[in-house]
Amino acid sequence: MASSIFQVQHTSSSSSTIIPFHPSSRSSNGASHALNARTLGFVDLPRTRIVAYNSVKCDMTGPSNLVNGKPIIPVINDKTLPKFMESATTDKIVSRNASKLKLFSGTANPTLSQEIARYMGLELGKINIKRFADGEIYVQLQESVRGCNVYLIQPTSPPANENVMELQIMIDACRRASAKNITAVIPYFGYARADRKTQGRESIAAKLVANLITKAGADRVLACDLHSGQSMGYFDIPVDHVHCQPVILDYLASKTISSNDLVVVSPDVGGVARARAFAKKLSDAPLAIIDKRRHGHNVAEVMNLIGDVKGKVAVMVDDMIDTAGTIAKGAALLHEEGAREVYACCTHGVFSPPAIERLSSGLFQEVIITNTIPVAEKNYFPQLTILTVANLLGETIWRIHDDSSVSSIFQ
């Protein structure tokens, strides 16, 4: 299997490649590069540059998301994997039997669906999805799925209610067309934050949506970085929970940030476990915690910082950025406490207003997200970097289809 590397476009005409993060990497090459491409994919190139994991420094001179006025699209080679997936993936383990496997895409994130299909060497199934004048959704499969294992790729991103309903109608169409197994691939599960009752007379919407997906006829769910682990228990069907942190770690390995200068920051107490796991993969970097008091939905007030960030490069880790209130106030506090640079890393970039204004205000050296949710061109800003999770999801789908281990990908 070919090795997996990131393609990074530079301001010069020459290109360079980056070998992703692996904890055992100990190369001494510490050259820095000015990044120009803000959306990255996995590609194979003949020239490689090994970046030292414990001596890296980011030069963000003149970052840009646009080429000739258009956003950059991830480039994916259909046979390459990120480094963290190579050791566990061989042709002997996964047979890649494409018979009776069908991929269909909803309208929420068709670009990601195309990338997943390209990695898997398949074509997306033909499906007709349209909306009537009154807003009703119509779905018709335009090819047979009888006896097939069907994978429906549809994040429940904004507009969440429409995308949830579209997913259910897609599931129903496949069930009535006699599909053997139906897997709902949900890169972003939109109602995961409503996972418990914090006040009286509240709905636990995450459980409700899980019931709707199950009753519609789904046999399995594949989701990325759920807001809380207990959401898996809301489904009465198997759930494969994929963590996208390794993709971000691969990218951070391309930075020349010394491990002695690095500190991982949790923006709230609830994210400590996530930040600790992230820090462990970054040479067991020290951990800092922001004590946050929330007075209402999408309203946060930062109170205290637990840990030392003075003179260090702070990497804030969260599962999503919605209005960016929490992470922006946290970054301001980190700068007040003497942090040299602040990076924001998350899987899901929801970016509800006024998130773009807060993230582009100069508090962050870089904002790193994945493409589980499509980012509109109007929401691009210079500090934004988008990493693709298509290879990770494509590999997971192969393993589910071939009854192979999914957890071994992350070991």
Side-chain angles (χ1 to χ4, degrees), residues 124-144:
L124 287 175
K126 297 178 182 179
I127 185 171
N128 180 23
I129 302 175
K130 63 181 180 181
R131 283 164 173 76
F132 292 109
D134 62 353
E136 292 182 7
I137 300 171
Y138 172 82
V139 174
Q140 180 190 29
L141 304 177
Q142 297 185 314
E143 59 184 77
S144 174

Side-chain angles (χ1 to χ4, degrees), residues 337-360:
E337 296 293 330
R340 190 169 78 243
E341 293 177 349
V342 178
Y343 289 79
C345 300
C346 82
T347 301
H348 312 297
V350 182
F351 292 169
S352 303
I356 303 303
E357 290 78 4
R358 289 169 172 170
L359 295 173
S360 59

Side-chain angles (χ1 to χ4, degrees), residues 173-190:
C174 293
R175 179 175 61 85
R176 296 180 186 279
S178 300
K180 181 179 179 181
N181 288 294
I182 303 170
T183 300
V185 181
I186 310 175
Y188 170 68
F189 184 51

Side-chain angles (χ1 to χ4, degrees), residues 73-79 103 111-124 390-391:
I73 298 174
V75 179
I76 302 177
N77 183 290
D78 62 352
K79 295 301 179 184
L103 295 177
T111 301
L112 176 59
S113 302
Q114 287 284 358
E115 294 171 5
I116 293 172
R118 190 181 309 143
Y119 167 79
M120 298 180 68
L122 303 174
E123 294 289 336
L124 287 175
N391 290 21

